Amino acid sequence: QSVLTQPRSVSGSPGQSVTISCTGTRSDIGTYNYVSWYQQIPGKVPRLIIHDVNKRPSGVPDRFSGSKSLNTASLTISGLQAEDEADYYCCSYAGRYSVLFGGGTKLTVL
Amino acid sequence: QVQVVESGGGVVQPGRSLRLSCAASGFTFSKCAMHWVRQAPGKELEWVAVIWYDGSNEYYVDSVKGRFTISRDNSRNTLYLQMNSLTVDDTAMYYCASQNSGSIQFDYWGQGTLVTVSS
């Protein structure tokens, strides 16, 4: 069982916005701003899309944004496109050098 | 152009050992912490281990402590993972990933190498 809890699936139509939540505890997301998000298209390698809660690496569209409130991080994808269909994983540092991933969320673009 | 290439995976019997390698290029390997992350078939990502840029520190997920050893050779821009006493639960795609900043994140990933533990 993953320590960071994500919804198993979300969906949206092209052009809409979706938000994926990632719930941890006071010991991980609640304490550290080392929250990152990864996009994994089936059969492909994970790709970093958000780091440090809300920062985008170069080349990642500004349709992707991140935030955090207390023990929950969120990834919002606005202006959904068919190419956004993928699995999304959150990740957080949890102290004493431990890194946790979420269980992953499958995004379906209707 | 960044390249991260893992090798060394394969089919191995429970209790046996395997050594994975990861060759990196296109970034300053010797200045980056390096990680191994694995993904069992159809499952989520799981962080496995990290080694500091200079090899001075290494940390592991509890399930592999005492069995796996991460190491690096900065002269060869290569990362390793020595895996001993393998169990079926270690079956996964193993990814090498770089941490190219002071933040804890996985910037560049290899294509992965598949480890299958089966009798």
Side-chain angles (χ1 to χ4, degrees), chain A residues 1-2 33-36 38 40 44-48 51-52 89 91 93 96-104, chain B residues 33 35 37 39 43-47 50 52 59-61 95 99 101-107 109-112:
Chain A
Q1 186 172 356
S2 305
N33 287 327
Y34 295 132
V35 176
S36 51
Y38 300 85
Q40 187 177 34
K44 300 294 186 181
V45 176
R47 170 198 178 199
L48 175 68
H51 64 90
D52 296 325
Y89 293 93
C91 178
Y93 181 63
R96 291 186 292 175
Y97 219 102
S98 175
V99 178
L100 305 174
F101 280 98
Chain B
H35 300 257
V37 176
Q39 187 171 34
K43 299 295 186 181
E44 67 269 24
L45 300 168
E46 180 184 33
W47 174 78
V50 62
W52 258 219
Y59 298 95
Y60 302 88
V61 67
Y95 295 103
Q99 178 182 315
S101 74
S103 183
I104 298 171
Q105 63 197 54
F106 310 111
D107 294 277
W109 298 64
Q111 84 290 346

Side-chain angles (χ1 to χ4, degrees), chain A residues 76-92:
Chain A
T76 298
I77 309 171
S78 58
L80 266 181
Q81 299 181 4
E83 67 203 48
D84 298 332
E85 189 161 289
D87 295 321
Y88 291 85
Y89 293 93
C90 62
C91 178
S92 175

Side-chain angles (χ1 to χ4, degrees), chain B residues 50-95:
Chain B
V50 62
I51 187 167
W52 258 219
Y53 70 99
D54 59 356
S56 59
N57 285 290
E58 51 196 80
Y59 298 95
Y60 302 88
V61 67
D62 284 348
S63 59
V64 308
K65 281 180 184 174
R67 300 189 300 122
F68 289 13
T69 302
I70 188 172
S71 62
R72 64 191 297 160
D73 183 343
N74 284 347
S75 68
R76 296 176 183 268
N77 285 1
T78 302
L79 177 72
Y80 303 100
L81 186 67
Q82 177 68 43
M83 305 185 295
N84 299 332
S85 303
L86 285 162
T87 74
V88 295
D89 290 337
D90 296 317
T91 294
M93 182 71 80
Y94 283 74
Y95 295 103

